[in-house]
Structure formats: C-alpha cells, structure tokens
Amino acid sequence: MGDEGRVGVLMGAGCAFVCLFLFVSLALTEVAMQDRRLVSCADALASVVGGNASSGSFFVEGDALEVDEAGVRSRVEEGLAALSDTTCKVGDGVTVSAVNVSDTEVEVTVSARPTVSLVPPVLRTTAVPELMRTSSARLREAHGQR
C-alpha cells in the first residue's frame, strides 16, 4: 500500500469519527433540551396546583383543614391537558407519574420519552432513556399561610 492509500484510509477513518461525534452530540443535545422542557412542565404543573390552592378549592373541611388529594390530582391532569401543546410538549408526550400531597406541599412527578431525530422509532424504546422529573409547590390555606 502506497502513501496515497494510507492517507485515504486515515481520511476515511477521520471522517467517520467526525460523523459519529456529530451524531452523538446531536442526540445528546436533543435529549438535554427535552429534559429542560420536562423540568419546565413539572414546574408549571406544580405551580398550577400551588397557585390555585389558596382559593380553598383543594381543602376539605373537618376537624382540621386537610388537602383533597383527588382534587389535586384532577387539577394536575387538567393543567397537563391545557399545557400539552405549549410548555408540556415534550417527546412522545408527557404523562403524570405521581402526585404526592403532604400537609403543606404538593409534589408532581412527570415523565416523557424524548424523540431523537436520527434514531429510528423501533430503537427509541431501547436506545433512548425515559426522562422523569419532579417539582413541588407549597400549598397555602384559604385564609392566609399555613
């Protein structure tokens, strides 16, 4: 093999390495951007619940003021439906994984499978990880801080 052959092989290997590097960089960037959007979605859903809790709509009257967990969960689902075309437009779609309510705080966990343009749909379930993010908001009593 002459010098021209070695240079050709080195150029081919260099081009393949650069293409592979660009492919991996593009895929990681797409996943990172969708992860940031999922964090924004979780924050928005938690704030929807926390911001509306001051109206008293989530509290059940009784001996002590308690949070109505079913009302909180339905408000999160309504918020997701309202934000599904804007803030919560992530990958193949956002799902609410969990809604945990404590005495003064609501914690919303959302998940989504990101889409990567260069990965075939058949390989997305195995090659692309499912993203899961959690956000919380403080609930306020109807007549002031708890």
Side-chain angles (χ1 to χ4, degrees):
M1 184 183 285
D3 286 341
E4 292 97 22
R6 289 183 193 154
V7 171
V9 170
L10 286 174
M11 288 294 290
C15 287
F17 178 74
V18 169
C19 289
L20 180 64
F21 177 75
L22 289 175
F23 172 76
V24 170
S25 296
L26 178 66
L28 290 176
T29 301
E30 281 184 300
V31 170
M33 293 299 292
Q34 291 179 55
D35 183 48
R36 292 289 95 203
R37 280 192 256 151
L38 190 62
V39 169
S40 296
C41 178
D43 290 344
L45 292 176
S47 68
V48 161
V49 175
N52 289 325
S54 61
S55 66
S57 61
F58 296 128
F59 296 101
V60 177
E61 293 295 331
D63 293 341
L65 214 52
E66 294 180 6
V67 178
D68 178 20
E69 291 189 29
V72 171
R73 177 76 179 198
S74 68
R75 177 57 90 163
V76 169
E77 294 290 343
E78 289 171 10
L80 178 59
L83 297 172
S84 64
D85 290 335
T86 57
T87 305
C88 293
K89 187 175 184 177
V90 180
D92 292 334
V94 176
T95 58
V96 177
S97 300
V99 176
N100 299 320
V101 181
S102 69
D103 195 30
T104 60
E105 208 172 69
V106 63
E107 186 176 88
V108 178
T109 303
V110 293
S111 62
R113 182 160 309 276
T115 55
V116 180
S117 59
L118 299 176
V119 175
V122 176
L123 296 177
R124 281 191 191 141
T125 57
T126 57
V128 179
E130 183 177 18
L131 302 175
M132 186 173 286
R133 293 293 173 245
T134 302
S135 184
S136 62
R138 186 171 303 272
L139 297 173
R140 289 176 283 154
E141 189 177 342
H143 304 292
Q145 294 288 338
R146 288 194 111 193

